[in-house]
Coordinates of all heavy atoms in Angstrom, one line a residue:
T13 N 125.4 175.7 51.7 CA 125.4 174.2 51.7 C 125.6 173.7 53.1 O 126.4 174.2 53.8 CB 126.4 173.5 50.9 OG1 127.8 173.8 51.4 CG2 126.4 174.0 49.4
F14 N 124.8 172.8 53.5 CA 124.6 172.2 54.8 C 124.8 170.7 54.6 O 123.8 170.1 54.0 CB 123.4 172.5 55.6 CG 123.2 174.1 55.7 CD1 122.4 174.7 55.0 CD2 123.9 174.8 56.7 CE1 122.2 176.2 55.1 CE2 123.8 176.1 56.9 CZ 122.9 176.8 56.1
N15 N 125.9 170.1 55.1 CA 126.0 168.6 55.0 C 126.4 168.0 56.3 O 127.1 168.5 57.1 CB 127.2 168.4 53.9 CG 127.3 167.0 53.4 OD1 126.3 166.3 53.6 ND2 128.4 166.5 53.0
H16 N 125.9 166.9 56.6 CA 126.2 166.0 57.7 C 125.8 166.9 59.0 O 126.6 167.2 59.8 CB 127.8 165.6 57.8 CG 128.2 164.8 56.7 ND1 129.1 165.2 55.8 CD2 127.8 163.6 56.3 CE1 129.2 164.4 54.9 NE2 128.5 163.3 55.2
I17 N 124.5 167.0 59.1 CA 123.9 167.8 60.1 C 123.1 166.9 61.0 O 122.3 166.2 60.5 CB 123.1 169.0 59.6 CG1 123.8 169.9 58.6 CG2 122.5 169.9 60.8 CD1 125.0 170.6 58.9
T18 N 123.3 167.0 62.3 CA 122.6 166.3 63.3 C 121.8 167.2 64.2 O 122.5 168.1 64.8 CB 123.4 165.3 64.0 OG1 124.0 164.4 63.3 CG2 122.5 164.6 65.1
I19 N 120.5 167.2 64.2 CA 119.7 168.0 65.1 C 119.0 167.2 66.1 O 118.3 166.3 65.7 CB 118.7 169.0 64.3 CG1 119.6 169.8 63.4 CG2 117.7 169.7 65.2 CD1 118.7 170.6 62.4
T20 N 119.3 167.5 67.4 CA 118.8 166.6 68.5 C 117.7 167.2 69.3 O 117.3 166.6 70.3 CB 119.9 166.2 69.4 OG1 120.4 167.5 70.1 CG2 121.1 165.4 68.7
G21 N 117.2 168.4 68.8 CA 116.1 169.1 69.5 C 115.8 170.4 68.9 O 116.8 171.1 68.6
A22 N 114.6 170.8 68.9 CA 114.1 172.1 68.5 C 112.8 172.5 69.0 O 111.9 171.6 68.5 CB 114.3 172.4 67.0
G23 N 112.5 173.4 69.8 CA 111.2 173.8 70.3 C 110.5 174.5 69.2 O 109.2 174.5 69.3
K24 N 111.1 174.9 68.0 CA 110.4 175.3 66.9 C 110.8 174.6 65.7 O 110.4 173.4 65.6 CB 110.6 176.8 66.7 CG 110.1 177.7 67.9 CD 110.3 179.1 67.8 CE 109.8 180.0 68.9 NZ 110.3 181.3 68.8
S25 N 111.7 175.0 64.9 CA 112.0 174.4 63.6 C 113.4 173.7 63.7 O 114.4 174.3 64.3 CB 112.1 175.3 62.4 OG 110.7 175.8 62.2
G26 N 113.5 172.5 63.2 CA 114.8 171.8 63.0 C 115.6 172.6 62.0 O 116.7 173.1 62.2
L27 N 115.0 172.6 60.8 CA 115.4 173.4 59.6 C 114.4 174.5 59.2 O 113.4 174.2 58.7 CB 115.6 172.4 58.4 CG 116.6 171.2 58.6 CD1 116.7 170.3 57.3 CD2 118.0 171.7 58.9
G28 N 114.7 175.7 59.7 CA 113.8 176.8 59.5 C 114.4 177.8 58.5 O 115.6 178.1 58.4
M29 N 113.5 178.5 57.7 CA 113.9 179.4 56.8 C 112.7 180.5 56.6 O 111.6 179.9 56.2 CB 114.3 178.8 55.5 CG 114.6 179.9 54.4 SD 114.9 179.0 52.7 CE 116.4 178.1 53.1
V30 N 112.9 181.7 56.9 CA 111.8 182.7 56.7 C 112.5 183.9 56.0 O 113.6 184.3 56.2 CB 111.2 183.1 58.0 CG1 110.5 181.9 58.7 CG2 112.2 183.8 59.0
S31 N 111.6 184.5 55.1 CA 112.0 185.9 54.5 C 110.9 186.8 55.0 O 109.8 186.8 54.4 CB 112.1 185.8 52.9 OG 112.2 187.0 52.4
M32 N 111.3 187.5 56.0 CA 110.1 188.4 56.6 C 110.4 189.8 56.2 O 109.4 190.6 56.3 CB 110.4 188.3 58.1 CG 110.0 186.9 58.7 SD 108.3 186.4 58.3 CE 107.4 187.5 59.2
D33 N 111.6 190.2 55.8 CA 111.8 191.6 55.6 C 112.2 192.0 54.1 O 112.8 193.1 53.9 CB 113.0 192.0 56.7 CG 112.5 191.8 58.0 OD1 111.5 192.0 58.3 OD2 113.3 191.2 58.8
G34 N 111.9 191.1 53.2 CA 112.3 191.4 51.8 C 113.4 190.7 51.2 O 113.7 190.9 50.1
A35 N 114.1 189.8 51.9 CA 115.1 189.1 51.4 C 114.8 188.2 50.3 O 113.8 187.5 50.5 CB 115.9 188.3 52.5
D36 N 115.8 188.0 49.4 CA 115.6 186.8 48.4 C 116.5 185.8 48.9 O 117.8 186.0 49.0 CB 116.0 187.2 47.0 CG 115.0 188.2 46.4 OD1 113.8 188.3 46.8 OD2 115.2 189.0 45.4
I37 N 116.1 184.6 49.2 CA 116.9 183.5 49.7 C 116.9 182.4 48.6 O 115.7 182.0 48.2 CB 116.3 182.9 51.0 CG1 116.1 184.0 52.1 CG2 117.2 181.8 51.5 CD1 115.5 183.6 53.4
S38 N 118.1 182.1 48.2 CA 118.2 181.1 47.0 C 119.5 180.4 47.1 O 120.4 180.7 47.9 CB 118.1 182.0 45.7 OG 119.3 182.8 45.6
D39 N 119.4 179.3 46.4 CA 120.7 178.5 46.3 C 121.1 177.9 47.6 O 122.2 178.0 48.0 CB 121.8 179.1 45.6 CG 122.8 178.2 45.0 OD1 122.6 177.0 44.9 OD2 124.0 178.8 44.8
V40 N 120.1 177.2 48.4 CA 120.5 176.5 49.6 C 120.3 175.1 49.6 O 119.2 174.7 49.1 CB 119.6 177.2 50.7 CG1 119.8 176.6 52.1 CG2 119.7 178.7 50.7
H41 N 121.3 174.4 50.1 CA 121.2 173.0 50.0 C 121.4 172.2 51.2 O 122.6 172.4 51.9 CB 122.2 172.6 48.7 CG 122.0 173.4 47.6 ND1 121.1 173.0 46.6 CD2 122.6 174.5 47.1 CE1 121.1 174.0 45.7 NE2 122.1 174.9 46.0
Y42 N 120.6 171.3 51.6 CA 120.8 170.5 52.7 C 121.0 169.0 52.4 O 120.3 168.6 51.5 CB 119.5 170.6 53.6 CG 119.1 171.9 54.0 CD1 118.2 172.8 53.3 CD2 119.6 172.4 55.2 CE1 117.7 174.0 53.8 CE2 119.1 173.7 55.7 CZ 118.3 174.4 55.0 OH 117.8 175.7 55.3
S43 N 122.0 168.4 52.9 CA 122.1 166.9 52.6 C 122.7 166.3 53.7 O 123.3 166.7 54.7 CB 123.1 166.8 51.4 OG 124.4 167.3 51.8
N44 N 122.1 164.9 53.9 CA 122.6 164.1 55.0 C 122.3 164.7 56.3 O 123.2 165.0 57.2 CB 124.1 163.8 54.9 CG 124.5 163.1 53.5 OD1 123.8 162.2 53.2 ND2 125.4 163.7 52.8
V45 N 121.0 164.9 56.6 CA 120.6 165.5 57.8 C 119.7 164.5 58.7 O 118.8 163.8 58.1 CB 119.8 166.8 57.5 CG1 119.2 167.5 58.7 CG2 120.5 167.8 56.7
T46 N 120.0 164.5 59.9 CA 119.1 163.7 60.9 C 118.5 164.6 61.9 O 119.2 165.4 62.5 CB 120.0 162.7 61.5 OG1 120.6 161.8 60.6 CG2 119.0 161.9 62.5
L47 N 117.2 164.4 62.0 CA 116.5 165.4 63.0 C 115.8 164.4 64.0 O 115.1 163.5 63.6 CB 115.4 166.2 62.3 CG 115.9 167.1 61.1 CD1 115.3 166.6 59.8 CD2 115.4 168.6 61.2
S48 N 115.7 164.9 65.3 CA 114.9 164.3 66.2 C 114.5 165.2 67.3 O 115.3 166.4 67.6 CB 115.7 163.1 66.8 OG 116.8 163.6 67.5
G49 N 113.4 165.0 67.9 CA 113.0 166.0 69.1 C 112.7 167.3 68.6 O 112.8 168.2 69.4
V50 N 112.2 167.4 67.5 CA 111.9 168.7 66.8 C 110.3 168.9 66.7 O 109.5 168.0 66.5 CB 112.5 168.9 65.4 CG1 114.0 168.9 65.4 CG2 111.9 167.9 64.4
S51 N 109.9 170.1 67.0 CA 108.4 170.5 67.0 C 108.0 170.5 65.5 O 106.9 170.2 65.1 CB 108.1 171.7 67.8 OG 108.2 171.5 69.2
S52 N 108.9 171.3 64.7 CA 108.6 171.3 63.2 C 109.9 170.9 62.5 O 110.9 171.5 62.5 CB 108.3 172.7 62.9 OG 108.3 173.0 61.5
P53 N 109.8 169.8 61.8 CA 111.1 169.2 61.2 C 111.7 170.4 60.1 O 112.8 170.7 60.2 CB 110.7 168.1 60.4 CG 109.4 167.6 61.2 CD 108.7 168.9 61.6
I54 N 110.7 170.9 59.2 CA 111.1 171.8 58.2 C 110.0 172.9 58.0 O 108.8 172.5 58.0 CB 111.4 171.1 56.9 CG1 112.5 169.9 56.9 CG2 111.6 172.0 55.7 CD1 112.6 169.2 55.7
M55 N 110.5 174.1 58.0 CA 109.6 175.2 57.9 C 110.2 176.3 57.1 O 111.2 176.6 57.3 CB 109.2 175.9 59.3 CG 108.5 177.1 59.2 SD 106.8 177.0 58.9 CE 106.3 178.7 59.2
E56 N 109.4 176.7 56.0 CA 109.8 177.8 55.1 C 108.7 178.7 54.9 O 107.5 178.2 54.8 CB 110.2 177.3 53.7 CG 111.6 176.5 53.7 CD 112.1 176.1 52.4 OE1 111.3 176.6 51.3 OE2 113.1 175.4 52.2
K57 N 108.9 180.0 55.1 CA 107.8 181.0 55.1 C 108.2 182.3 54.5 O 109.3 182.8 54.8 CB 107.2 181.1 56.5 CG 106.1 182.1 56.5 CD 105.4 182.3 57.8 CE 104.2 183.1 57.8 NZ 103.6 183.3 59.2

């Protein structure tokens, strides 16, 4: 769980999530997030 998150810059993702090597990623929760100055606000792959 991620709550009350302020992101003020990211040359790639503000909120990034990748499964590249076989991981199961589940039950992830973002709330009350402010992003600025990001190249990619949200990226999942």
Side-chain angles (χ1 to χ4, degrees):
T13 62
F14 302 99
N15 191 24
H16 301 114
I17 310 297
T18 299
I19 292 173
T20 59
K24 293 178 182 174
S25 297
L27 303 177
M29 177 185 294
V30 298
S31 173
M32 298 299 297
D33 304 311
D36 290 337
I37 305 175
S38 64
D39 197 14
V40 180
H41 308 280
Y42 303 89
S43 60
N44 303 309
V45 179
T46 301
L47 307 108
S48 61
V50 297
S51 290
S52 170
I54 297 172
M55 166 77 175
E56 294 183 3
K57 182 179 183 181

